[in-house]
Structure formats: C-alpha cells, structure tokens
Amino acid sequence: MPRLLAMRSTKTSLLILFGGWLSFSASASQDEVRQACEKISDKLSSVSFEECNLPELSASGGYSTQGFPILLKEYPPRPGKKPKGRVLLVGGTHGDELAAISIVFKWMHTLEKHHSGLFHWHVAPLLNPDGALIKKQTRMNANGVDLNRNFSSPGAPVDAALQYWRVKTRRNLRRYPGEHPLSEPETQWLKQEIETFKPDVIIAVHAPYSLVDYDAPNRSNAPERIGYLYKNLMGTYPGSLGNYAGMHLGIPVITLELPHAGIMPTRAQISKLWTDLVRWLIHNL
Ligand SMILES: [Zn+2]
C-alpha cells in the first residue's frame, strides 16, 4: 500500500503542478496582452486601452521579430452548430497604415456586442507590431521586410519575389521581400494560422489606395463595393498574401484599402464598411 499511496501522491502532485502551470501560463498570457495593449493604445490615438484589452484577446503564441506577441481573438460559432464560414481578419500587415489597425479594433468592438455565431472569426488586429509601434512607424517589419511580399509563391522560382523586387521595383526598400519566402516570423505565423484555422475567406485591411481588391481563382463574385470603397482589381505580386492564399491555396482574399493611412474613417463609414462586408460574407460563403 505505501507504494500505491506514493504513486497516487505523485499523480496528485503532478496534477496540481500541471493545473498550476496552466493558470500560470494563462495569467502570463494575460500579462502579455495587457502590456501589448498599453503599447498599442499609447501609439494609436483612436484605440483606448480598454478597446484593445478585450476579454479573451490572446497572445497567439506567435511573436514578431522583436518578440512582441501577435494578438488574436476568436469569435466562435454557436455551440454545436456549423458556422456559415470561417473568416480570418488581419490588420496592420504594414506598420505605417495605422488606420488599418485601428479599424480592426473598432470592428472587434462591434463583434463583442453583436457576434451571433453565424460565422467563426479569427481576428489578428496587428500582424506587424514592430513596424507600427516604433516612434516613426514603418511599412516593413524590424528586418526591413515588406511582409506582404514575403509569402511563398508556389509554382514560381523560389527567388521570384526577389527578382521582381530587383527588376520591377528597382530595389524599392519599401517593397523588399526578404532573402527568401517566409523568412519572417510574422509571415510564418500567418501561414501557420491559415493552415490550422482553414479560413473560407481572408480579409486583409490596408491603406491608402481607397479600393477593394479580391484575389481568388474565380473573381466573378468579387465585391462591387464595400462601404465607400469600390472594386478595383489589381494584379498580384510574387510573395503577396493575395497571390499565396488567393491564387495558390484558393482561399479568397478581400483586401480593403482605406483612403488614408493616418486618418480614421468616420463612425458611419466604419459601420457601413462592416455591414457591407458581413452582407458579402452572407451571400458568398
Ligand atoms: Zn498595406
């Protein structure tokens, strides 16, 4: 019996240890989110700490080049119900497009109140924290890489994005794709997130071109207009998310380009953009 007792007590202490570790890691993650939100609300005048520090906003486990957590919030479908679709919403791929980060927080605020479970959402409001949260924000990440050129381009030579950069952009530093595809932790995280969440559509928010773009194998159902943004289908670039997810994985990518990187749309515009987006999802997923 002493042996059995000893085994039991080992099991019990393991359980206690494991439980303790779980609550420790949960609070460590909450601390990370709190600290992240302090920095985000300091930088973005239109996002308060409370608007950022939402219940169950989590440190996804992914980190930027400089170790800043990539934040993620899930809005699950109704329990036991299959959602009409899974939607991945990503803001702040380019750090100097501050309005494209703030507006995602505003839409999360809408989801906090009105999420019905019709869709299953994963929302990452700020993919490029290193670019956004420094004093003079930059498009690129801390390694000087344009994250929207750093995805892989299946079927193309491995240096396709680099070649494009050298020849077509004449080595424009704002478009530098990195030494090789997926060299950056932020793009590696998004690739992983796409593989595990398996979204039916990805919505990426940018600025300042004032349009809606749509990358998918079949572009016939591209949104004609979302709020005050009208359809304008651009080409894709080697290494872009639209090229990688939209053309190669076959997951439609809606790119919303707000008209200003540093000026927020009005409340009415923010709200109309959202209702038009959700309307498109309802009709197309
Ligand atoms: Zn952008």
Side-chain angles (χ1 to χ4, degrees):
M1 282 311 281
R3 200 172 156 194
L4 190 61
L5 272 176
M7 276 176 63
R8 268 197 192 146
S9 85
T10 310
K11 251 190 196 167
T12 312
S13 34
L14 274 177
L15 275 176
I16 291 167
L17 266 177
F18 186 61
W21 178 81
L22 275 182
S23 68
F24 168 76
S25 60
S27 66
S29 170
Q30 280 159 5
D31 283 349
E32 272 188 301
V33 172
R34 212 173 300 123
Q35 285 165 14
C37 282
E38 274 167 15
K39 289 191 178 142
I40 289 170
S41 56
D42 277 354
K43 178 73 188 186
L44 301 172
S45 54
S46 49
V47 179
S48 68
F49 174 79
E50 289 71 26
E51 274 176 307
C52 174
N53 192 35
L54 297 170
E56 291 159 47
L57 179 67
S58 70
S60 62
Y63 291 89
S64 69
T65 303
Q66 295 195 324
F68 197 92
I70 296 174
L71 301 176
L72 182 71
K73 175 144 186 185
E74 175 173 36
Y75 296 87
R78 288 190 202 103
K81 291 253 172 147
K82 195 172 179 295
K84 203 162 159 48
R86 287 183 297 277
V87 188
L88 175 59
L89 170 60
V90 183
T93 303
H94 293 137
D96 57 354
E97 297 165 4
L98 298 183
I101 306 162
S102 298
I103 199 167
V104 176
F105 281 107
K106 302 292 174 196
W107 289 336
M108 286 166 91
H109 206 65
T110 303
L111 278 170
E112 293 295 312
K113 285 196 208 148
H114 302 295
H115 176 56
S116 64
L118 185 60
F119 297 101
H120 184 179
W121 294 85
H122 273 201
V123 183
L126 178 50
L127 182 66
N128 180 8
D130 295 347
L133 300 178
I134 51 175
K135 196 163 179 207
K136 189 170 181 351
Q137 61 273 13
T138 65
R139 173 183 175 90
M140 300 76 73
N141 77 346
N143 292 327
V145 173
D146 178 346
L147 298 178
N148 202 31
R149 298 292 181 276
N150 188 245
F151 291 91
S152 56
S153 309
V158 71
D159 64 346
L162 213 46
Q163 281 301 342
Y164 186 96
W165 174 70
R166 286 184 188 123
V167 177
K168 301 273 180 156
T169 80
R170 300 186 182 180
R171 300 176 186 258
N172 179 343
L173 290 179
R174 285 173 54 78
R175 303 281 186 278
Y176 179 58
E179 272 310 296
H180 59 84
L182 296 168
S183 56
E184 304 309 300
E186 298 89 350
T187 42
Q188 290 165 15
W189 176 82
L190 192 61
K191 173 182 182 279
Q192 181 70 41
E193 167 64 19
I194 291 168
E195 282 171 6
T196 51
F197 181 49
K198 301 182 172 59
D200 298 301
V201 64
I202 299 171
I203 301 165
V205 192
H206 287 261
Y209 295 108
S210 195
L211 55 87
V212 185
D213 196 359
Y214 185 73
D215 295 304
N218 173 7
R219 296 167 105 187
S220 63
N221 60 343
E224 288 300 319
R225 102 178 242 203
I226 300 284
Y228 63 137
L229 306 175
Y230 287 81
K231 179 175 82 173
N232 187 347
L233 301 182
M234 320 287 277
T236 58
Y237 311 94
S240 73
L241 178 66
N243 188 50
Y244 169 66
M247 307 312 285
H248 292 288
L249 301 181
I251 302 168
V253 177
I254 298 176
T255 303
L256 297 178
E257 285 274 356
L258 303 174
H260 305 285
I263 304 171
M264 278 295 277
T266 64
R267 278 174 69 153
Q269 287 167 336
I270 293 169
S271 154
K272 184 75 167 77
L273 285 165
W274 182 252
T275 50
D276 281 1
L277 258 182
V278 172
R279 188 169 298 137
W280 185 91
L281 295 173
I282 288 171
H283 287 129
N284 289 280
L285 293 189

